[in-house]
């Protein structure tokens, strides 16, 4: 099974150094940092809303462990035993997208991981106990998986994310501008990502410095 290779710019954006730690994600990050000292744990699922950093964290773990990386949304489903091969660590991004229509495959993957002492890190929007499946055997196995949430960020973390990601795009934005923006937008990872991309595109197109008057224009 071939491992998905990422463009260099994607690898950079998904690096450990690019990850901003806060109260909302430190528990999930602890699992990544303490691997392989997971005691008897072989399965972990990191879950959270869109834009919370699940895929980023999946790639941080993949880079650390040299795991196989699979994106469930584009994965060709063969026998898990065949796909796993000699791998000892697997990352399954967007795992919950398989639960409803491919319960049997997930069930066999679980058994494969357990039988071969493989580590499996999954990402999802919801914890495994809330995944849609009509397969009782899978449901019981999902209930045994450790779940680590990427919860809603606070203003300190959001400000750090804005500063770091805008800087990586070559944009220097003052703390005052970011604090002003945070007072007027939804406090969520999704909203932060939308605004970071919006400011990046606007600055590139109009060649304007990002200031509070500009933010007021964009908010109107």
């Amino acid at each position: 099974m071939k491992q998905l290779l990422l463009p260099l710019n994607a690898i950079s954006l998904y690096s450990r150094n690019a990850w901003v730690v806060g109260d909302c994600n430190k528990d999930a990050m602890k699992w990544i940092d303490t691997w392989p000292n997971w005691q008897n744990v072989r399965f972990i699922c990191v879950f959270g809303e869109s834009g919370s950093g699940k895929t980023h964290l999946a790639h941080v773990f993949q880079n650390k462990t040299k795991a196989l990386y699979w994106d469930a949304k584009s994965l060709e489903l063969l026998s898990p035993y065949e796909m796993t091969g000699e791998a000892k660590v697997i990352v399954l991004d967007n795992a919950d997208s398989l639960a409803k229509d491919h319960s049997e495959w997930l069930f066999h993957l679980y058994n494969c991981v357990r039988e071969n002492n493989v580590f499996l890190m999954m990402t999802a929007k919801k914890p495994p106990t809330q995944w849609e499946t009509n397969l009782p055997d899978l449901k019981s196995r999902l209930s045994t998986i450790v779940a680590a949430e990427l919860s809603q960020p606070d203003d300190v973390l959001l400000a750090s994310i804005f500063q770091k990601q805008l800087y990586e795009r070559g944009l220097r934005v003052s703390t005052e501008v970011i604090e002003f923006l945070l007072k007027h937008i939804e406090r969520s990872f999704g909203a932060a990502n939308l605004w970071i991309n919006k400011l990046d595109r606007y600055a590139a197109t109009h060649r304007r410095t990002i200031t509070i008057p500009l933010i007021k224009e964009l908010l109107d």
Side-chain angles (χ1 to χ4, degrees):
M1 184 69 188
K2 289 186 177 181
Q3 180 176 308
L4 178 65
L5 296 179
L6 296 171
L8 289 177
N9 60 338
I11 293 173
S12 175
L13 290 174
Y14 286 145
S15 70
R16 176 66 174 84
N17 288 338
W19 181 263
V20 181
V21 179
D23 288 341
C24 65
N25 60 35
K26 64 182 181 182
D27 289 341
M29 194 70 241
K30 184 177 179 180
W31 282 101
I32 307 305
D33 287 339
T34 59
W35 183 90
N37 300 315
W38 286 3
Q39 298 182 2
N40 295 322
V41 174
R42 287 283 168 178
F43 304 83
I44 182 172
C45 178
V46 174
F47 70 97
E49 66 174 45
S50 297
S52 60
K54 299 184 297 294
T55 294
H56 186 155
L57 207 58
H59 285 295
V60 170
F61 185 66
Q62 187 275 332
N63 184 59
K64 176 180 180 177
T65 64
K66 310 305 178 187
L68 285 178
Y69 172 83
W70 299 337
D71 185 344
K73 292 184 177 180
S74 59
L75 188 63
E76 181 183 0
L77 299 180
L78 305 174
S79 163
Y81 292 89
E82 178 183 348
M83 293 172 68
T84 300
E86 299 298 318
K88 290 302 179 184
V89 188
I90 298 170
V91 174
L92 181 59
D93 208 0
N94 302 302
D96 51 336
S97 65
L98 297 173
K100 185 176 181 181
D101 297 325
H102 301 286
S103 294
E104 289 275 355
W105 187 87
L106 277 178
F107 172 73
H108 292 304
L109 175 64
Y110 181 100
N111 290 338
C112 174
V113 168
R114 185 179 59 184
E115 292 167 14
N116 293 290
N117 292 320
V118 174
F119 288 98
L120 175 62
M121 175 195 174
M122 299 182 288
T123 71
K125 291 182 178 179
K126 296 180 180 180
T129 53
Q130 296 181 23
W131 295 2
E132 289 186 63
T133 177
N134 294 318
L135 189 64
D137 286 341
L138 175 61
K139 188 178 288 290
S140 66
R141 282 160 175 76
L142 292 177
S143 67
T144 68
I145 295 174
V146 173
E149 183 178 9
L150 298 176
S151 57
Q152 291 290 343
D154 57 25
D155 283 358
V156 174
L157 180 62
L158 284 177
S160 296
I161 290 172
F162 267 100
Q163 286 280 15
K164 195 172 187 68
Q165 293 201 19
L166 290 173
Y167 179 79
E168 288 173 351
R169 289 162 172 78
L171 301 174
R172 296 184 181 277
V173 183
S174 71
T175 301
E176 291 75 20
V177 171
I178 292 175
E179 289 177 350
F180 177 83
L181 179 58
L182 288 177
K183 292 177 182 178
H184 295 86
I185 66 172
E186 176 187 325
R187 268 47 163 220
S188 70
F189 289 110
N193 289 331
L194 286 173
W195 270 93
I196 288 166
N197 291 326
K198 184 175 184 177
L199 293 173
D200 187 22
R201 289 193 302 269
Y202 193 92
T205 303
H206 297 82
R207 298 185 180 280
R208 287 182 61 183
T209 303
I210 299 174
T211 60
I212 290 177
L214 173 58
I215 296 296
K216 289 180 179 179
E217 287 181 31
L218 296 176
L219 286 167
D220 290 338

